[in-house]
Amino acid sequence: MAESILIGGVWSGARSGGTIPVCDPADDVVIAEIADGAGEEAREAVTAAASAFSEWRRETARRRAVILRRVAELLRRDRERLAAVMTAEQGKPIAEARGEVDYSASFFEVAADLAPHCGGELVPAADPMRRILVRPEPVGVAAIVTPWNFPLAMVARKAAPALAVGCSVVVKPDERTPLSAIELARLAEEAGVPAGVFNLVTGEPVAIVEAWLDDPRVRAISFTGSTEVGRLLMRQASRHLARVSLELGGHAPFVVFADADFDRAVDAAIASKFRNAGQTCICANRFIVEASIADRFAEALAARSRELRCGRGRDAGVSTGPLIDDAAIAKVEAHVEDAVSRGGRLRCGGERLRLDGLADRFFAPTVLDGLDPSMRMWREETFGPVAAVARFESEAQAIALANDSEFGLAAYFFTRDASRLMRMAEALDYGIVGANDSLPSTAEAPFGGVKQSGFGREGGRWGFEEFSNLKYVSWKL
Ligand code: SIN
């Protein structure tokens, strides 16, 4: 496994011989060693990608679609094995890992469906003796930098459209969870993606990503991760004006009106909040509930949260895995302490769990009542299994509270009033709005945020645009 770098169809270790251990976050057992690649490997990967690009872009879109569909089939064929790898490296429950394999396959399917239909268009010109032909062209080599929370799907969501439009890619997965991306690279080879079109460099991020953004041949970077790193990458990308697509942090409000279908809202809240132990950019963070039902709602959330079973993701019946590392659990703890010190009331949870034989990295599913804007968890993403409940009296106040965030990725609201439904959808300042829906992610929709959550869209035909340049041909008759 230390041969985890794929450049031009050849797997190798790091030139330095350096390796990084990959640990199961549930128990700290080392499950693999990966190559600690750096600038040299990163530059070689770009050379391989640049040379493969000239042929890949000339493949017919239909041929590229056949190969991408094959990648999806292979992902589905190996679903169980891939889910086990993902759970071991990331900690999420096995059922969620299976879902993520399916989700990943769906990005390749949608890309394969759309690729043959993304031609150009002939635009009527003002001059009757002129024709304007507009055609999308692949930008060239695209750098893909992905996070640890969705170690397979985030690579798929970026690589599938990039490959579909004819780009070649250099991929850098998070060093804590690189194994799913390595598996995907192997399946891409098996599916017939030509050598050099999909390259993978594992290792610590700084040297690799700097080398890519220092290289004028890299024409786009697509990144999912923190807002802080996103800003840094944007500055670095300005050197050669590489296109930038950033899917950054979120801090989703979840508004529940008294007229909502109560049980449905509770189910949706649990599904959104505790997905991946709360380590999801779009998971609900601030529950903003109409005052007349807030006690009942908070208590219903607490009752359901108490039923969630924490443990090793691979064990039957487990719904909440570990947090990814010690810093992550320390942050959750600090947010809860801060909220309690400012008057927040714990309805359940609120502390680390000591589970036999497992790492000290499990946080009890928590419901905290009395959330208010003075608390850290009102401003910052907790990224853990904590549902915090605030109250509102009017629709206008609900909107103001929901929009009171520098982030703008996803927002949710629950109501049965059809007019309010449209008013809320329009008023929420977010890239994704779930109207009576807390799990909006799907490969055919444009995933992405506004404000400090970044820009750029992933999914559907919009995902193609991030990796395409428009050329127009002005054609004189
Ligand atoms: C994310 O956390 O960024 C991904 C979540 C999703 O795709 O649903």
Side-chain angles (χ1 to χ4, degrees):
M1 179 57 78
E3 302 222 320
S4 61
I5 295 177
L6 175 64
I7 298 177
V10 179
W11 288 94
S12 71
R15 307 287 175 271
S16 67
T19 61
I20 303 177
V22 179
C23 300
D24 182 335
D27 57 14
D28 286 333
V29 167
V30 176
I31 53 174
E33 294 277 341
I34 54 149
D36 186 11
E40 193 182 342
E41 293 85 346
R43 280 183 289 276
E44 281 174 27
V46 176
T47 300
S51 116
F53 172 62
S54 47
E55 275 198 32
W56 181 244
R57 72 178 301 182
R58 276 196 289 271
E59 271 294 358
T60 62
R62 202 165 279 282
R63 174 79 195 126
R64 287 198 292 267
V66 167
I67 295 174
L68 295 181
R69 198 172 302 287
R70 182 77 186 127
V71 176
E73 286 162 5
L74 297 178
L75 284 165
R76 292 194 190 278
R77 179 196 71 187
D78 291 354
R79 184 178 193 247
E80 271 317 299
R81 189 177 62 76
L82 296 169
V85 168
M86 194 190 305
T87 289
E89 68 175 343
Q90 202 276 336
K92 66 179 64 184
I94 191 75
E96 287 191 29
R98 288 186 190 115
E100 187 175 333
V101 178
D102 294 342
Y103 186 38
S104 306
S106 71
F107 286 106
F108 284 95
E109 286 157 354
V110 166
D113 288 346
L114 294 175
H117 304 287
C118 288
E121 57 182 303
L122 201 58
V123 179
D127 174 353
M129 296 310 288
R130 173 181 282 162
R131 302 290 179 270
I132 305 286
L133 172 65
V134 181
R135 61 184 239 118
E137 297 192 341
V139 295
V141 177
I144 289 176
V145 182
T146 55
W148 51 265
N149 60 342
F150 288 83
L152 186 64
M154 296 303 98
V155 186
R157 187 153 80 190
K158 296 171 189 303
L163 299 177
V165 302
C167 290
S168 52
V169 298
V170 290
V171 178
K172 155 79 183 82
D174 191 282
E175 59 285 4
R176 283 162 289 188
T177 57
L179 307 182
S180 300
I182 294 169
E183 295 292 345
L184 177 59
R186 292 213 171 96
L187 294 181
E189 283 188 295
E190 187 182 340
V193 174
V197 170
F198 189 114
N199 305 277
L200 179 83
V201 183
T202 57
E204 295 292 343
V206 175
I208 297 170
V209 178
E210 268 189 12
W212 286 346
L213 293 176
D214 231 359
D215 191 323
R217 297 170 298 174
V218 172
R219 298 313 312 142
I221 178 159
S222 178
F223 168 73
T224 295
S226 72
T227 298
E228 193 189 344
V229 175
R231 277 198 197 100
L232 185 72
L233 295 186
M234 194 168 163
R235 267 201 299 277
Q236 292 174 345
S238 70
R239 275 180 222 154
H240 297 293
L241 296 179
R243 267 169 174 263
V244 181
S245 173
L246 301 173
E247 198 267 271
L248 308 175
H251 199 26
F254 188 111
V255 179
V256 187
F257 288 93
D259 64 16
D261 178 332
F262 186 87
D263 294 338
R264 185 170 161 191
V266 172
D267 286 348
I270 295 286
S272 169
K273 176 68 259 180
F274 296 106
R275 178 179 176 215
N276 200 13
Q279 303 173 110
T280 303
C281 300
I282 59 165
C283 73
N285 275 341
R286 296 174 295 138
F287 289 90
I288 299 171
V289 184
E290 192 154 355
S292 59
I293 59 159
D295 278 337
R296 190 171 148 231
F297 187 81
E299 200 36 57
L301 273 190
R304 293 285 298 279
S305 304
R306 285 186 205 103
E307 288 166 8
L308 297 173
R309 205 176 129 219
C310 295
R312 220 190 260 286
R314 67 170 185 249
D315 292 345
V318 164
S319 52
T320 310
L323 295 179
I324 189 68
D325 58 22
D326 295 341
I329 193 159
K331 179 179 181 195
V332 175
E333 223 164 29
H335 275 203
V336 170
E337 276 168 27
D338 170 77
V340 168
S341 76
R342 293 170 193 276
R345 299 175 302 283
L346 286 168
R347 286 197 182 242
C348 68
E351 63 198 357
R352 288 182 194 231
L353 296 173
R354 319 276 161 200
L355 301 175
D356 264 0
L358 296 184
D360 182 20
R361 208 168 286 133
F362 292 80
F363 202 83
T366 296
V367 176
L368 183 132
D369 205 350
L371 173 69
D372 73 47
S374 73
M375 297 171 182
R376 263 184 84 182
M377 64 171 69
W378 182 269
R379 302 257 152 242
E380 297 170 35
E381 200 178 13
T382 306
F383 234 53
V386 180
V389 179
R391 286 160 171 70
F392 71 88
E393 299 285 350
S394 67
E395 186 179 308
Q397 191 192 7
I399 293 168
L401 289 171
N403 283 341
D404 180 27
S405 172
E406 60 175 351
F407 296 104
L409 185 55
Y412 308 96
F413 66 92
F414 283 72
T415 180
R416 275 192 281 217
D417 179 325
S419 304
R420 169 178 282 158
L421 205 133
M422 193 48 76
R423 283 196 303 274
M424 287 297 291
E426 290 173 0
L428 290 170
D429 201 6
Y430 289 82
I432 303 166
V433 174
N436 295 323
D437 182 5
S438 71
L439 297 172
S441 307
T442 180
E444 61 277 7
F447 191 103
V450 297
K451 301 197 286 186
Q452 303 304 303
S453 294
F455 47 80
R457 293 294 179 267
E458 299 179 327
R461 65 186 162 82
W462 302 277
F464 283 36
E465 289 168 10
E466 303 296 326
F467 299 103
S468 310
N469 287 326
L470 285 182
K471 175 186 279 178
Y472 83 82
V473 181
S474 177
W475 183 353
K476 207 70 177 149
L477 302 187

